[in-house]
Amino acid sequence: EVQLVESGGGLVQPGGSLRLSCAASGFTVSRYWMSWVRQAPGKGLEWVANIKQDGSEKYYVDSVKGRFTISRDNAKSSLFLQMNSLRADDTAVYYCARLRGYLDCWGHGTLVTVSS
Amino acid sequence: EIVLTQSPGTLSLSPGERATLSCRASQSISSSYLAWYQQKPGQAPRLLIYGASSRATGIPDRFSGSGSGTDFTLTISRLEPEDFAVYYCQQYGSSPTGFTFGPGTKVDIK
């Protein structure tokens, strides 16, 4: 069974940092692009970042460029999102997902709350 | 950036009725790179349709997608109780450099 499980969310103060992880199982992670997508409370879905199979290409939504870094460890079937200089408007549930242009498999999400 | 508009914002229907959801793009989406997702409260989104009209694995045939260019439609032929949810469209013509979602249509029980 294809499965993605996020972890690492929590409460952080504005300006702080957090590192999200996503553990994949049931498929060969190294064969796929992977994504992070977020959803602010009561709002819609927003794409955050994509990473190529070997990590050589990375793309970000403008609002997180220079603050967030997507990475992966194929040997450990894991995806990461390092989030620095966090702002209140980064508060959201963060989902990792398998990217095939469309997103065909999603994790359950992890909540990040940025507040003092 | 391609902007997606979904209508209506909310659709109030009864079980057994037909639901027609619209997704309109600000510019033509190449090769019908349009997907639909269903999201229930407290759950992750689930892929329903990709390539504008192809059903994802395990999706019942009461869900169908159509359209091309800038106008796309998700149809649920007969609503089941478990179909009341929020539906999002996504364009991935510019993937993997980025993609966008529509604001969603909520289908609720009348």
Side-chain angles (χ1 to χ4, degrees):
Chain A
E1 179 193 4
V2 174
Q3 194 169 15
L4 296 167
V5 179
E6 301 93 337
S7 60
L11 175 63
V12 61
Q13 292 188 338
S17 298
L18 214 53
R19 187 187 194 219
L20 306 183
S21 300
C22 172
S25 59
F27 68 103
T28 305
V29 171
S30 61
R31 294 181 180 174
Y32 295 90
W33 283 79
M34 297 293 292
S35 295
W36 287 98
V37 175
R38 67 184 179 183
Q39 186 170 36
K43 303 298 184 181
L45 301 169
E46 179 184 39
W47 165 70
V48 175
N50 292 341
I51 186 167
K52 193 176 180 179
Q53 289 91 332
D54 62 359
S56 62
E57 293 182 38
K58 304 175 183 181
Y59 301 98
Y60 301 91
V61 67
D62 284 348
S63 59
V64 309
K65 282 179 183 176
R67 300 189 300 122
F68 290 12
T69 302
I70 188 172
S71 62
R72 63 194 297 162
D73 183 340
N74 289 335
K76 296 183 178 180
S77 296
S78 295
L79 179 70
F80 306 100
L81 187 67
Q82 177 66 44
M83 304 186 295
N84 299 329
S85 303
L86 282 161
R87 312 185 304 218
D89 63 356
D90 294 318
T91 294
V93 174
Y94 285 74
Y95 297 100
C96 67
R98 188 171 73 179
L99 177 63
R100 303 178 69 179
Y102 51 89
L103 300 158
D104 70 339
C105 179
W106 298 64
H108 58 82
T110 187
L111 176 62
V112 172
T113 303
V114 184
S115 174
S116 55
Chain B
E1 174 185 299
I2 297 177
V3 177
L4 299 178
T5 303
Q6 291 187 243
S7 62
T10 301
L11 194 53
S12 296
L13 295 168
S14 301
E17 289 193 296
R18 182 184 186 91
T20 303
L21 287 66
S22 174
C23 177
R24 179 163 291 178
S26 60
Q27 55 187 280
S28 184
I29 297 174
S30 59
S31 302
S32 296
Y33 287 150
L34 192 285
W36 290 93
Y37 301 86
Q38 176 194 67
Q39 187 178 34
K40 298 178 183 179
Q43 296 186 18
R46 177 175 71 146
L47 176 68
L48 298 175
I49 301 287
Y50 63 93
S53 60
S54 297
R55 269 188 303 276
T57 303
I59 301 303
D61 61 7
R62 64 180 180 273
F63 291 92
S64 63
S66 62
S68 63
T70 61
D71 290 295
F72 298 86
T73 300
L74 175 70
T75 301
I76 311 171
S77 58
R78 287 176 54 86
L79 283 164
E80 297 288 341
E82 62 267 28
D83 298 337
F84 292 93
V86 179
Y87 293 83
Y88 295 95
C89 57
Q90 175 222 357
Q91 68 79 21
Y92 53 98
S94 51
S95 183
T97 60
F99 46 79
T100 51
F101 294 94
T105 290
K106 182 178 182 180
V107 179
D108 66 12
I109 299 177
K110 187 174 181 180

